[in-house]
Amino acid sequence: MLARFVPAARWMRDYDRADLHGDVTAGVTTAVMLVPQGMAYAMLAGLPPIVGLYASIAPLVVYALLGTSRQLAVGPVAMDSLMVAAAVGAMAPAGSDHAVALALVLAAMVGTIQLVMGLMRLGFLVTLLSHPVISGFTSAAAVIIGVSQLQHLLGFPMARSRHVHVLLFDAVTQLGRTHAPTLLLGGFGIALMLGLRRWAPKVPAAIVTVAATTLAVLAFELDAAGVAVIGSVPAGLPDWTVPVVSWAEAQALVPSAFAIAIVAFTEAISVGKAFATRNRYRLDASQELVAIGAANLAGSLTGGYPITGGFSRTAVNASAGARTPLAGMITAALVAVVLVLFTPVFRLLPKATLAGIVMVAVFGLIDVATLRHLWRTRRSDAAALLVTFAATLLLGIDSGIATGVVFSLALFVLRAARPHMAELGAKPDGATWRNVCRHEDAAACRDVAVLRVDTSLFFANIDAVVGRINALVHERGDAARAVVLDCSAVNDIDSSAARTLVESAGDLARAGVELHLARVKGPVRDGLEAAGIIGTLGAERCHEDVAAAMAALAAAPRPAYTTETAPRLPRSNEAARALRQQHAHA
């Protein structure tokens, strides 16, 4: 029973000592990466760097106890940090105590939202964010993150904005104020990290860069020359705290909290599923919501800000040998040791170095490969990616992802309203029916139109289906005798579609054309019976397959119905409605 609510009870009970070496190695390696990244991401969020370390202890332990991923490395990430900066930056000066309090409240809100969603088993809602939307959003966010760090790299303050064009304009107009030592030191740090990642990938690039640039500041007294450094960092573990802000401020944070909760979970579940598939185990999406939500609540109470699972650290954690969540606990313990014993070494750490760490980390988020692939394979998905990318850049983080979701849903409705339909023809064996546009040897029947609809029927697409039926009847002219609707791909039908199909059957009957149904699934047949179409057509017009429908039509005499007395069937469904109204008033 305990293992159901606390998955750690299961892996702790069955822990294999052979996994210990891998877990320890992974925990140490990830901690070496997390310490400089956590400080850099906190600075990106407009918070003191120490907050990033506070967010890297309790949340990691809580996730290790409640999470179902064996490799996911949680903690501060660039995306959440940027969204926190956008939410908090408009309400408090960067780095201030008030900004920290707002960030802690935001973490509590995000955690509560995720926890409630997890307890309600709403993990499936992540599917609202399609891969093109996520790709466009993360690519745009990477650009915004990179541009926002220019102020630390160039050595002068820039305008506080969530819009990339504002940031770029401000940076370009102030280029004359560039502080050369800061730019040189930051550029050296970026080059060193990129070089180590390329030619010595096993070397902890971030830690080496932090050490090298800190020693440079110490040796050449660059802090006295104007290079901005972190300064004194408080030592010791974070205290338990309950953040307090005004009710109006809390209300203002709610939209951002929902956005961060969804984006953070999407990032974590995407990364977690990738490594779960690779290591052959399954994640529980709703339990992951509970775990990340509880981790955020723990972070809020221990001086941290919103966290989630990040791809780069998870990749490092997995490649270093992580086999169980124990690796995350070891990482948290090492970060705590750093806070207790080693904070004085960060006093001369240049802010330009932290900016460089952020910029290098987000370079990989710019996903050009996905855009190229989608442009070749599915232009509509490429359009969703580009719309999300542009909206995020021009409108901001929250509006950008909302725009992407709305655009994707609109594309979905548009596709559903234009379903794929295929006219079927008989193959030479006479029993097999295939799409006449794809099979040259499939011959369409001269007096019977056979149409297969490859989607469920509902109010948005039934007009298109009826219009196609009418068009096929018109193509056959006076020879048209019947329409066979192949429903093998129809999994559902709503009341509006069923009613319209009943009306269409009446229009066809008045034109001397019978409507037959083939391969109707049970749930769809139930809906048609409830709508009265089975009673209208008669059970004898519902067939097991198309071949059975054609055999029944061949055996039955053609109705005595002349074209002189039969009304012409309207080509469009709108015209069909007008005809029905005419008959209703007759």
Side-chain angles (χ1 to χ4, degrees), residues 464-484:
V465 174
V466 171
R468 182 68 184 277
I469 290 173
N470 292 349
L472 290 175
V473 172
H474 267 279
E475 290 174 5
R476 286 158 175 76
D478 294 341
R481 175 187 178 187
V483 172
V484 176

Side-chain angles (χ1 to χ4, degrees), residues 280-331:
R280 299 182 179 180
Y281 65 91
R282 297 186 64 182
L283 291 188
D284 182 335
S286 294
Q287 181 61 32
E288 287 296 292
L289 266 173
V290 170
I292 296 173
N296 273 306
L297 284 172
S300 172
L301 296 173
T302 55
Y305 72 107
I307 58 92
T308 189
F311 181 81
S312 60
R313 284 197 303 274
T314 301
V316 168
N317 194 45
S319 63
R323 295 292 180 267
T324 72
L326 178 63
M329 293 183 171
I330 294 171
T331 298

Side-chain angles (χ1 to χ4, degrees), residues 422-426 433 436 443-452 465-477 479-486 508 513-518 546 549-550 553 558 569:
E423 182 182 3
L424 304 184
W433 292 76
V436 297
C445 186
R446 184 179 64 84
D447 58 348
V448 178
V450 183
L451 180 66
R452 187 188 71 222
V465 174
V466 171
R468 182 68 184 277
I469 290 173
N470 292 349
L472 290 175
V473 172
H474 267 279
E475 290 174 5
R476 286 158 175 76
R481 175 187 178 187
V483 172
V484 176
L485 192 62
D486 182 352
L508 290 168
V513 179
E514 298 177 356
L515 177 63
H516 290 248
L517 304 178
V546 174
M550 298 303 291
L553 283 165
R558 179 162 184 157
L569 187 68

